[in-house]
Amino acid sequence: MQENNSVTEFILLGLTQDPMKKKMVFVIFLIFYLGTVVGNLLIMVTIKSSRALGSPMYFFLFYLSLADSCLSTSTAPRLIVDSLSATKTISYNQCMTQVFALHFFGTMEVFVLILMAIDRYVAICKPLHYPTIMRRQVCIILIVIAWLGAFIHSITEIILALRLPFCGPNLIDHYCCDLQPLLKLACMDTYLINLEWVSNSGSVCTGSFVTLMISYIVILHSLRNHSAEGRKKALSTCISHIIVVVLFFGPCIFIYSRPPTTFSMDKMVSVFYTIGTPFLNPFIYTLRNAEVKNAMRKLWHIKITSESKR
């Protein structure tokens, strides 16, 4: 398709053109990105190192942290570098790669959140059958299916992007390459492609959100039959999951489930789910989870003790 394009590179306009605001963008999002990588890496290392965190819930949390780190990495580094760079060009191939990565890791996060909801449903509503249903082999199969589903979705998105011919302006009014800003630059009638895009990404976002909300309503309703202590523990876990779901899916639905119109707030909304939510997730899952906090304390205590003995 690139052979049919006169445009071989794009220029990303970023979040702002103001020199002072660009410096603020650099500082703020550098902190956000470093916090995202360090926080999620700490969760992954803790889960892998702690025997106390061997349950399916933490198995899925490991992959949520991995998806968060990769999702943020697909957009944040370029945003940070471009905020201080005089030239903000991105080649056609790099742009298409970013579209694929953004949707691949974003969809992976969607599917992992669904798997975490399934895990909580079985644990709370089918406690006697939980060890049998959520066996390690089953969890691995579910994660593999999630990876495959994310790959299929992303391939569909990149096929739509590759069908777009570009022969005129190459200014992308965004901080990253995504199908929506690219549709504005295409030298063709994009009505049908936009319908395909909304039916693909929009249905994934909206359908997954509705499914998750229904599952958590069922879970919360079933807690009536549990003891006060059991309700407290289950509520603490479910509320953390619900917060993540709302923070992630709200912006996604706003961006991907509407007709081909653009708003001035689109870029900031996109920042929230590509960079903001991955940054907040480690805090949500550690500050509200006693088991993770205890495992982290033990891990650091072992590290400090081993270093002092040397």
Side-chain angles (χ1 to χ4, degrees):
M1 286 298 298
Q2 190 175 3
E3 294 179 357
N4 298 325
N5 296 328
S6 60
V7 174
T8 59
E9 64 180 19
F10 298 98
I11 299 174
L12 296 168
L13 296 181
L15 293 176
T16 179
Q17 300 300 309
D18 184 274
M20 183 58 66
K21 290 181 179 179
K22 286 182 180 179
K23 295 177 182 178
M24 294 174 59
V25 167
F26 174 82
V27 173
I28 292 172
F29 288 101
L30 179 62
I31 294 172
F32 268 56
Y33 180 61
L34 292 177
T36 299
V37 173
V38 172
N40 283 292
L41 183 61
L42 181 58
I43 288 179
M44 288 189 285
V45 171
T46 302
I47 291 172
K48 283 295 183 183
S49 305
S50 176
R51 294 182 179 179
L53 302 180
S55 67
M57 180 175 71
Y58 299 110
F59 175 81
F60 294 133
L61 178 57
F62 175 90
Y63 285 98
L64 179 67
S65 296
L66 177 62
D68 275 334
S69 299
C70 295
L71 177 61
S72 185
T73 300
S74 68
T75 57
R78 179 168 288 277
L79 171 61
I80 294 166
V81 172
D82 284 351
S83 63
L84 296 182
S85 177
T87 59
K88 303 178 181 180
T89 59
I90 180 171
S91 70
Y92 178 89
N93 290 336
Q94 290 174 339
C95 185
M96 295 301 110
T97 301
Q98 190 174 55
V99 171
F100 178 85
L102 178 64
H103 284 271
F104 180 75
F105 294 113
T107 308
M108 182 61 190
E109 179 154 350
V110 169
F111 291 155
V112 172
L113 288 171
I114 291 174
L115 294 180
M116 293 176 77
I118 292 173
D119 174 72
R120 290 302 85 203
Y121 171 79
V122 177
I124 294 171
C125 301
K126 309 284 184 181
L128 297 179
H129 301 286
Y130 182 76
T132 304
I133 297 174
M134 301 304 294
R135 300 188 310 275
R136 186 75 173 184
Q137 297 88 335
V138 173
C139 293
I140 293 173
I141 291 172
L142 290 174
I143 281 293
V144 170
I145 292 173
W147 282 110
L148 289 174
F151 180 78
I152 292 170
H153 167 77
S154 303
I155 284 294
T156 305
E157 292 293 294
I158 201 66
I159 288 174
L160 292 177
L162 290 172
R163 286 167 55 190
L164 298 174
F166 301 101
C167 54
N170 65 341
L171 296 177
I172 299 178
D173 188 15
H174 215 287
Y175 63 90
C176 68
C177 284
D178 200 0
L179 207 55
Q180 188 182 50
L182 288 174
L183 285 169
K184 295 175 63 178
L185 303 180
C187 303
M188 64 176 292
D189 184 358
T190 59
Y191 178 76
L192 290 178
I193 290 183
N194 185 76
L195 285 181
E196 294 175 31
W197 174 61
V198 171
S199 64
N200 185 18
S201 295
S203 61
V204 169
C205 291
T206 307
S208 299
F209 179 73
V210 172
T211 301
L212 285 166
M213 287 296 99
I214 291 174
S215 67
Y216 280 115
I217 290 172
V218 172
I219 290 171
L220 295 174
H221 184 265
S222 68
L223 289 177
R224 297 179 307 163
N225 302 323
H226 288 66
S227 63
E229 183 179 351
R231 279 200 302 270
K232 183 178 179 181
K233 184 177 180 180
L235 277 173
S236 177
T237 302
C238 289
I239 288 174
S240 297
H241 292 190
I242 292 171
I243 291 173
V244 171
V245 167
V246 172
L247 290 177
F248 183 78
F249 280 95
C252 283
I253 293 172
F254 177 80
I255 294 294
Y256 295 111
S257 301
R258 68 170 200 246
T261 53
T262 56
F263 301 102
S264 58
M265 67 180 73
D266 282 355
K267 288 187 284 187
M268 290 309 301
V269 172
S270 297
V271 162
F272 200 80
Y273 78 85
T274 58
I275 301 174
T277 304
F279 172 75
L280 293 173
N281 280 355
F283 296 98
I284 293 172
Y285 281 106
T286 53
L287 294 178
R288 298 188 59 86
N289 193 306
E291 290 180 337
V292 174
K293 286 190 288 187
N294 291 334
M296 285 184 176
R297 290 192 193 102
K298 290 179 181 179
L299 176 64
W300 284 108
H301 177 72
I302 293 172
K303 293 284 186 183
I304 294 171
T305 303
S306 61
E307 288 294 331
S308 61
K309 287 181 179 180
R310 292 179 184 177

